[in-house]
């Protein structure tokens, strides 16, 4: 669906050249909900602009649905795009803007359809308000409406989609995205909110310093340490050597054990007649995985490394 | 494409009607024009120079319209650039050529309406002041309409390359008359050059100015013929011929400017 090969993009500053993308590679498959993550300045937005054809790369090629995108390409009839900032036609009213963006897709949007869309995002009472007078959240809702307007969309590019949204609208929009994805729409998400990515994405790429350092299925990224269990039990004089103790108090001992020692551990608890308070599969959150990968890429000692040592 | 052009034109017209900078220019110019119309009408009732007063009023109004039309293109480009909203247009199946053509057509529509208004005001003044009607008013309005479009499109193009303030400043320098006089004065200096170095640099300067003179669009073609019509408002058949040529030139320039503008737009980073 999206194929980016060895993309290099640089910005010429006043005195120096800034390398925004340095050999960016990416593959997004049809039907994916793909999350592009990275710290500030990693080049996520530049990558998105390059994929959309808004920036011409110095080197490399990007193909979306096997074609290169350019400004106003006919391929955009299958693409919806939500920009990171509210870069809309601020002199238009909410209703005029929605109608304008719909008509650029070639639709004659009917009044009931506009009414329904605005109602579903709670924008009906603001339809005559100019975008320049709208709040950040209201502008974001206009952005979301114009994304959902394109009924032919096969790919949605969403740059920080829930920025400035209230929790209810966030949930509502997330549900709509999942629904559209079920109907075959590929979703490309650029987000800082890792919990959101974790909730809906099936594949992610993590960027740093202009290139993708990890690209995999989210499940695999989060199951790196899934063969480990967190246990908490009553203190005992003897502790088995395969238990990595993380915390010890008078009332309990907390530790990590490998799956292969699980049976041995249960026998030990039974034998010693100790109380077992907790035994759960150790889960890595996306936040932890992200931090580990980024720190690992920059050569820092990660939390998990420290932990293992 | 037709639908997209119409949509863009509608949006451009909304933009023009709501732009504060344009409104300020309009208000200032309207006040100035109303004063001239008021005093012109007053003087014409008190004296016998009614025709000259109609001329004065139409010229004032045309000057107002000329400045407004000239500003339309560059303000549209500057505003859309600073709002960074063009990426919302070009990430839809709408080509830069379509957007540019729509903007050029919108400016043409506004210019046509305003110059037609000027023509109507002038014609009504002929009737109300009981002055024999002169066809020169049509000629003057059409000529000013073409000049205004040329300057507006030229500014729009410059606005895509450089900052609008710089573009306006450049227009004052890079216009056909200033370049023509500069060319003449360099030529005169070249004839009186005493050293080889002087002559060499003056020759290069003359070539550059000559080239610029050829590049900048013509705003006042057939100046002599047109100034005669402007003075008397009497139009001879050959004058209509010159005007037809000027309209043709405006059309060719507009198409070329629209093409160049869309190419410049494609090279901009619209992010």
């Amino acid at each position: 669906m999206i194929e980016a090969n060895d993309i290099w993009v640089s910005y010429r500053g006043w005195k120096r050249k800034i390398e925004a993308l340095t050999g960016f590679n990416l593959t997004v498959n049809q039907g994916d909900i793909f999350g592009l993550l990275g710290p500030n300045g990693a080049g996520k937005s530049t990558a998105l602009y390059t994929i959309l054809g808004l920036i011409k790369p110095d080197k490399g090629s990007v193909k979306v649905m096997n074609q290169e995108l350019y400004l106003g390409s006919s391929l955009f009839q299958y693409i919806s795009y939500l920009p990171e900032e509210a870069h809309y036609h601020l002199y238009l009213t909410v209703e005029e803007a929605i109608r304008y963006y719909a008509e650029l897709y070639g639709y004659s949007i009917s009044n009931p359809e506009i009414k329904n869309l605005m109602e579903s995002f709670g924008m009906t009472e603001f339809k005559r308000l100019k975008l320049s007078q709208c709040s950040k959240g209201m502008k974001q809702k206009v952005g979301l409406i114009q994304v959902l307007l394109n009924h032919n969309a096969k790919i949605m590019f969403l740059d920080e989609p829930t920025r400035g949204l209230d929790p209810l609208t966030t949930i509502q929009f997330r549900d709509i995205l999942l629904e559209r994805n079920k109907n075959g729409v590929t979703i490309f998400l650029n987000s800082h909110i890792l919990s959101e990515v974790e909730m809906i994405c099936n594949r992610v790429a993590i960027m740093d310093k202009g290139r993708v350092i990890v690209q995999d299925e989210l499940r695999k990224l989060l199951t790196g340490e899934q063969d480990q269990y967190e246990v908490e039990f009553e203190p005992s004089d003897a502790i088995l050597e395969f238990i990595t103790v993380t915390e010890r108090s008078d009332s309990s001992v907390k530790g990590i054990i490998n799956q292969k020692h699980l049976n041995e551990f249960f026998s030990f608890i039974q034998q010693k007649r100790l109380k077992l308070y907790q035994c759960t599969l150790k889960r890595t959150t996306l936040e932890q995985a992200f931090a580990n990968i980024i720190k690992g890429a920059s050569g820092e000692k990660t939390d998990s490394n420290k932990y293992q040592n | 494409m037709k639908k997209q052009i119409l949509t863009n034109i509608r949006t451009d017209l909304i933009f023009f009607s709501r732009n504060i900078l344009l409104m300020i220019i309009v208000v200032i110019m309207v006040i100035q024009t109303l004063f001239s119309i008021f005093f012109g009408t007053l003087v014409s009732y008190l004296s016998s120079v009614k025709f000259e007063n109609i001329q004065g009023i139409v010229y004032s109004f045309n000057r107002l319209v000329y400045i407004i039309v000239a500003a339309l293109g560059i303000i549209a480009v500057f505003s859309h650039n600073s709002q960074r909203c063009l990426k919302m247009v070009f990430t839809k199946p709408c080509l830069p050529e379509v957007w540019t053509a729509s903007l050029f057509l919108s400016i043409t529509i506004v210019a046509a309406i305003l110059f037609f208004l000027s023509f109507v005001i002038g014609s009504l003044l002929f009737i109300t002041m009981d002055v024999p009607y002169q066809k020169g008013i049509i000629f003057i309005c059409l000529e000013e309409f073409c000049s205004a479009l040329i300057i507006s499109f030229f500014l729009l193009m410059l606005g895509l390359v450089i900052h609008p303030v710089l573009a306006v400043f450049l227009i004052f320098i890079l216009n056909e008359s200033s370049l023509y006089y500069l060319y003449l004065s360099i030529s005169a200096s070249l004839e009186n050059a005493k050293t080889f170095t002087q002559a060499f640099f003056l020759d290069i300067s003359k070539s550059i100015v000559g080239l610029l003179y050829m590049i900048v669009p013509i705003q006042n073609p057939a100046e002599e013929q047109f100034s005669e019509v402007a003075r008397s408002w009497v139009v001879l058949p050959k004058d209509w011929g010159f005007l037809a040529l000027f309209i043709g030139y405006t059309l060719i320039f507009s198409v070329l400017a629209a093409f160049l503008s869309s190419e410049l737009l494609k090279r901009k980073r619209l992010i």
Side-chain angles (χ1 to χ4, degrees):
Chain A
M1 204 69 170
I2 304 169
E3 194 77 51
N5 289 314
D6 195 28
I7 304 293
W8 290 74
V9 172
S10 59
Y11 297 115
R12 275 171 231 302
W14 182 248
K15 281 182 180 170
R16 67 192 182 102
K17 197 171 149 184
I18 300 154
E19 297 283 359
L21 294 183
T22 52
F24 174 82
N25 289 294
L26 193 81
T27 307
V28 179
N29 303 318
Q30 192 171 356
D32 275 349
I33 303 186
F34 192 93
L36 184 63
L37 315 172
N40 292 333
K44 300 187 297 294
S45 290
T46 304
L48 187 53
Y49 293 145
T50 312
I51 294 169
L52 286 167
L54 291 168
I55 292 178
K56 280 188 183 144
D58 302 333
K59 204 181 130 191
S61 72
V62 194
K63 286 194 173 169
V64 178
M65 294 161 77
N66 295 322
Q67 287 180 51
E68 257 179 53
L69 278 176
Y70 54 88
L71 300 182
S73 157
S74 58
L75 203 62
F76 278 114
Q77 62 185 303
Y78 305 113
I79 293 170
S80 289
Y81 165 58
L82 176 79
E84 183 186 4
E85 302 282 341
H87 292 152
Y88 307 122
H89 292 67
L90 300 179
Y91 53 87
L92 295 178
T93 63
V94 169
E95 190 177 355
E96 285 166 351
I98 293 169
R99 205 176 279 280
Y100 177 50
Y101 296 138
E103 284 175 356
L104 286 178
Y105 278 118
Y107 302 135
S108 289
I109 188 166
S110 63
N111 285 335
E113 196 179 351
I114 285 202
K115 201 181 158 198
N116 283 345
L117 274 167
M118 284 199 289
E119 247 173 32
S120 62
F121 282 93
M123 292 294 286
T124 313
E125 56 184 306
F126 308 112
K127 67 178 183 182
R128 289 203 175 85
L129 194 67
K130 273 203 265 178
L131 288 179
S132 58
Q133 294 162 337
C134 285
S135 70
K136 211 172 176 179
M138 281 152 73
K139 283 180 198 157
Q140 189 71 352
K141 284 181 183 177
V142 171
L144 299 183
I145 293 172
Q146 66 89 28
V147 159
L148 299 174
L149 274 172
N150 188 3
H151 305 300
N152 292 333
K154 290 183 179 167
I155 311 180
M156 284 183 175
F157 288 96
L158 309 170
D159 204 347
E160 304 286 352
T162 54
R163 194 177 186 178
L165 288 184
D166 57 82
L168 281 179
T169 315
T170 305
I171 295 166
Q172 182 195 354
F173 184 63
R174 197 188 299 141
D175 291 344
I176 296 173
L177 284 187
L178 291 171
E179 187 61 38
R180 292 273 171 119
N181 180 252
K182 266 187 203 165
N183 295 330
V185 178
T186 305
I187 293 163
F188 185 98
L189 200 71
N190 206 343
S191 180
H192 274 116
I193 305 167
L194 300 181
S195 56
E196 179 181 275
V197 172
E198 197 173 348
M199 223 178 280
I200 65 167
C201 290
N202 67 321
R203 291 187 74 235
V204 291
I206 296 177
M207 278 189 82
D208 193 28
K209 292 170 188 157
R211 66 175 68 201
V212 171
I213 45 174
V214 171
Q215 184 179 181
D216 212 336
E217 282 180 29
L218 182 69
R219 186 176 47 86
K220 285 186 185 167
L221 217 65
L222 300 182
T223 53
E225 298 175 69
Q226 211 169 40
D227 56 347
Q228 291 191 320
Y229 283 79
E230 280 175 324
V231 291
E232 187 179 359
F233 53 94
E234 202 180 344
S236 158
D237 296 337
I239 295 284
L240 296 167
E241 74 273 10
F242 56 76
I243 301 174
T244 312
V245 177
T246 55
E247 202 180 312
R248 182 192 274 271
S249 67
D250 293 338
S251 57
S252 74
V253 177
K254 282 183 182 176
I256 308 278
I257 58 164
N258 204 296
Q259 193 176 15
K260 62 182 178 189
H261 299 297
L262 213 52
N263 286 337
E264 214 177 323
F265 171 71
F266 287 135
S267 310
F268 164 74
I269 294 288
Q270 249 176 347
Q271 199 184 348
K272 294 274 180 187
R273 296 187 177 196
L274 298 173
K275 281 179 186 166
L276 178 64
Y277 302 125
Q278 184 199 336
C279 177
T280 50
L281 183 68
K282 187 171 182 284
R283 252 184 75 82
T284 310
T285 62
L286 183 59
E287 201 172 73
Q288 286 166 329
F290 177 79
N292 286 346
I293 289 162
I294 294 295
K295 283 175 186 170
S298 60
E300 275 183 47
K301 208 174 182 185
T302 65
D303 285 345
S304 57
N305 286 339
K306 280 179 208 168
Y307 192 71
Q308 280 157 14
N309 292 339
Chain B
M1 189 192 281
K2 190 181 154 195
K3 195 174 178 182
Q4 284 182 334
I5 288 178
L6 291 174
T7 302
N8 280 315
I9 288 176
R10 198 187 60 217
T11 309
D12 289 336
L13 294 180
I14 292 174
F15 167 76
F16 293 144
S17 67
R18 290 183 188 162
N19 188 270
I20 292 170
L21 191 57
L22 265 174
M23 282 300 119
I24 292 169
I25 297 173
V26 169
V27 168
I28 293 170
M29 298 303 287
V30 163
I31 292 169
Q32 199 187 336
T33 311
L34 281 177
F35 265 108
S36 82
I37 289 174
F38 174 73
F39 286 111
T41 318
L42 193 70
V43 169
S44 63
Y45 273 109
L46 299 172
S47 67
S48 58
V49 286
K50 289 178 179 174
F51 175 65
E52 283 79 0
N53 283 319
I54 295 174
Q55 275 188 318
I57 290 165
V58 172
Y59 282 138
S60 304
F61 193 79
N62 277 355
R63 199 78 333 227
L64 153 77
V65 174
Y66 181 89
I67 292 169
I68 292 168
V69 172
L72 291 177
I74 198 155
I75 288 178
V77 164
F78 176 67
S79 178
H80 284 88
N81 252 342
S82 55
Q83 285 182 18
R84 293 154 80 185
C85 58
L86 286 179
K87 64 169 169 258
M88 292 307 296
V89 178
F90 302 137
T91 50
K92 311 261 182 307
C94 177
L95 293 164
E97 288 86 349
V98 172
W99 187 82
T100 314
S102 311
L103 181 58
F104 274 57
L105 286 172
S106 310
I107 295 168
T108 309
I109 290 168
V110 174
I113 291 170
L114 291 175
F115 279 108
F116 181 71
L117 193 66
S118 172
F119 162 73
V120 170
I121 290 171
S123 300
L124 285 174
L125 286 172
F126 272 115
I127 296 163
T128 51
M129 290 185 184
D130 202 18
V131 175
Y133 193 76
Q134 295 294 331
K135 282 179 187 166
I137 189 171
I138 305 169
F139 187 98
I140 295 297
C141 287
L142 277 173
E143 191 239 326
E144 289 270 342
F145 168 70
C146 292
S147 295
L149 286 186
I150 288 171
I151 193 80
S152 184
F153 297 159
F154 188 44
L155 263 173
L156 189 156
M157 257 197 309
L158 283 178
L160 285 167
V161 188
I162 51 174
H163 193 275
V165 176
L166 199 62
V168 174
F169 179 70
L170 262 183
I171 281 284
F172 282 108
I173 303 166
L174 288 177
N175 61 63
E176 53 179 328
S177 52
S178 64
L179 285 172
Y180 180 68
Y181 290 117
L182 187 62
Y183 185 81
L184 288 183
S185 58
I186 292 173
S187 301
S189 308
L190 187 62
E191 277 174 26
N192 299 321
K194 284 169 187 161
T195 62
F196 171 76
T197 326
Q198 252 184 0
F200 177 73
F201 282 111
L202 283 170
D203 202 29
I204 289 176
S205 311
K206 189 183 160 186
S207 306
I208 293 169
V209 172
L211 184 72
L212 285 173
Y213 180 70
M214 297 300 285
I215 291 171
V216 295
I218 309 166
Q219 286 176 66
N220 299 305
E223 204 172 344
E224 272 180 33
Q225 285 84 356
F226 283 7
S227 64
E228 186 49 39
V229 178
R231 192 185 58 77
S232 63
W233 281 19
V234 174
V235 194
L236 301 174
K238 67 173 172 60
D239 296 326
W240 289 113
F242 280 120
L243 184 65
L245 282 175
F246 186 38
I247 292 171
Y249 171 79
T250 309
L251 200 65
I252 293 166
F253 176 78
S254 306
V255 172
L256 188 70
F259 170 74
L260 285 173
S261 301
S262 60
E263 286 303 310
L264 289 168
L265 203 56
K266 284 180 201 171
R267 277 155 184 77
K268 276 184 94 74
R269 275 191 172 169
L270 306 163
I271 54 173

